[in-house]
Amino acid sequence: MNSPVIVIGGGLAGCEAAWILAKKRICVELFEMRPKKMTPAHSTGMLAELVCSNSLKGTDPFTAHGLLKAEMEIMDSLVMKAALSARVPAGKALAVDRESFAAFITDAISSNPFITVNRSEIESVPQDTNCIIATGPLTSDALADDISNITGSGRMFFHDAIAPIIDADSIDMKKAFFGSRWSDDEGDYINCPFNEAQYNLFIDELIKADRVSLHTFEDTKYFEGCLPVEVIAERGSQSLRFGPMRPVGIKNPGTGKRPYAVVQLRKETLKGDAFNMVGFQTRLSYPEQDRVFRLIPGLADAVFLRYGSIHRNTFIDSPRMLEKDLSLRSHPNIIIAGQLTGVEGYMESACSGIIAGMSMAAKISGMEFIPPPPQTATGSLINYITDPAVINFQPMNINYGIIPSPDVPKKDKKSTIHEIALNNIFGWVKH
């Protein structure tokens, strides 16, 4: 076709889709409304800006998250290239310098001769052309309403929260220390250790702290994988000690003992001049964050470069609306990608963008598109979001529970899943 493919949304999924199409010498017009119109969570106009954590989760190939990354590399993922280029130390996790990461992708997309970047908002779906919608969880109300209208199905949403970022120079290293779990080395994380009395005081103040106006978030639904820290605390006084504040595997070099609880801080930038509060996404009001989080040992004089916040994430009822090639059942020329489909997580979103790009390329060439087998991490995600048998659909991270389990001894299960998945992805890409 002479007209370019329209890709709406310059996040991870949209950029991956545009990248894949451009590799196949298919012209793309990528629409991104920022910086002309910002969202409640973004702060720049760069493509692929990360708005929540700077961690892309684990890299161990024998975990579901690591397997997905390995498959994405085989599929020539632009996001993986950017992540490895902008990586910051974070133990076994793949964490990135946000600015370097977004700059890498912005440059790659903007300099590609097959991609034109259009900085304007699309308020309605262009129904008469080939289009990929990858506007993410912060899809504008106008476009989200139009998607609902053309599909005849109401959109759904849940609420997501962001953790604060702290100026490294404001952390009291006389009370905090560097270290990683199960390691005697200095490690990549700053640890803020609690004794029992400090922990109990912190929990009490956290639970009673003021939050963002309740009327704004009536009937609030949270994604279980990213609960606000105060919501976890309300589930029991010890819940944080078995969650984000678990001290297992950490030894305080000052005492030689394991602390009662710990808050870990992870590098936000390659320079190490900013740190993210791991697992501390929150909906506390800004003044209360300033008050309560200063009770954390080592953070009494903390300078908050960004406070935590909460925003609404929009997604569609994909099992009822999408075909296996991610096209709308009601409009085969329109493909949906990213978190709008109900895949949850940075890499899951990016991976769906790769599949969307490949699917659209097949559609343009007149070929049938068959997604990767469900025995792969990629295929299992696509299968989950397009399976009509899935009832009460909710966003999902990649996990072993949605990948078919091979009939092998338990000790061999992960390595067998890994081997089967990579063999299948290699074969699928080659085919």
Side-chain angles (χ1 to χ4, degrees), residues 165-174 178 190 265 269 271-275 298-299 301-305:
I165 296 173
I166 296 170
D167 187 324
D169 289 338
S170 69
I171 301 168
D172 184 355
M173 295 306 296
K174 292 180 180 179
F178 277 97
I190 291 179
L265 310 177
T269 62
K271 293 188 296 183
D273 54 1
F275 279 76
L299 301 187
D301 298 315
V303 173
F304 292 91
L305 301 177

Side-chain angles (χ1 to χ4, degrees), residues 80-238:
M80 279 302 298
K81 294 178 191 294
L84 295 175
S85 171
R87 188 171 191 171
V88 298
K92 292 183 179 180
L94 177 55
V96 300
D97 180 307
R98 293 172 193 268
E99 187 171 335
S100 298
F101 174 83
F104 185 103
I105 293 178
T106 300
D107 179 66
I109 294 295
S110 301
S111 62
N112 192 297
F114 290 95
I115 302 173
T116 300
V117 179
N118 190 323
R119 297 288 186 163
S120 59
E121 180 183 6
I122 297 290
E123 295 185 342
S124 59
V125 179
Q127 298 184 35
D128 298 326
T129 188
N130 287 325
C131 175
I132 296 175
I133 304 174
T135 44
L138 297 171
T139 298
S140 68
D141 285 339
L143 183 58
D145 288 341
D146 193 58
I147 293 170
S148 295
N149 290 335
I150 67 172
T151 59
S153 174
R155 57 187 165 116
M156 300 181 287
F157 65 88
F158 64 96
H159 288 94
D160 203 357
I162 297 174
I165 296 173
I166 296 170
D167 187 324
D169 289 338
S170 69
I171 301 168
D172 184 355
M173 295 306 296
K174 292 180 180 179
K175 296 181 179 178
F177 59 91
F178 277 97
S180 296
R181 297 185 192 278
W182 308 112
S183 174
D184 292 327
D185 298 331
E186 188 175 78
D188 301 321
Y189 292 80
I190 291 179
N191 299 277
C192 301
F194 289 73
N195 59 36
E196 185 173 1
Q198 290 170 328
Y199 175 80
N200 290 334
L201 172 63
F202 177 72
I203 296 300
D204 289 343
E205 294 300 318
L206 180 62
I207 290 174
K208 69 183 184 184
D210 291 335
R211 305 172 191 186
V212 174
S213 301
L214 290 176
H215 71 271
T216 307
F217 300 104
E218 290 175 347
D219 299 323
T220 299
K221 297 175 288 186
Y222 293 110
F223 176 59
E224 283 290 321
C226 196
L227 289 173
V229 65
E230 62 275 7
V231 172
I232 300 175
E234 288 175 335
R235 294 183 172 184
S237 62
Q238 298 296 300

Side-chain angles (χ1 to χ4, degrees), residues 315-316 318 338-344 384-385 393-396:
F315 65 101
I316 63 173
S318 292
Q339 287 184 258
L340 194 57
T341 67
V343 295
E344 173 59 25
Y384 172 76
I385 63 174
F393 180 64
Q394 288 294 307
M396 179 75 77

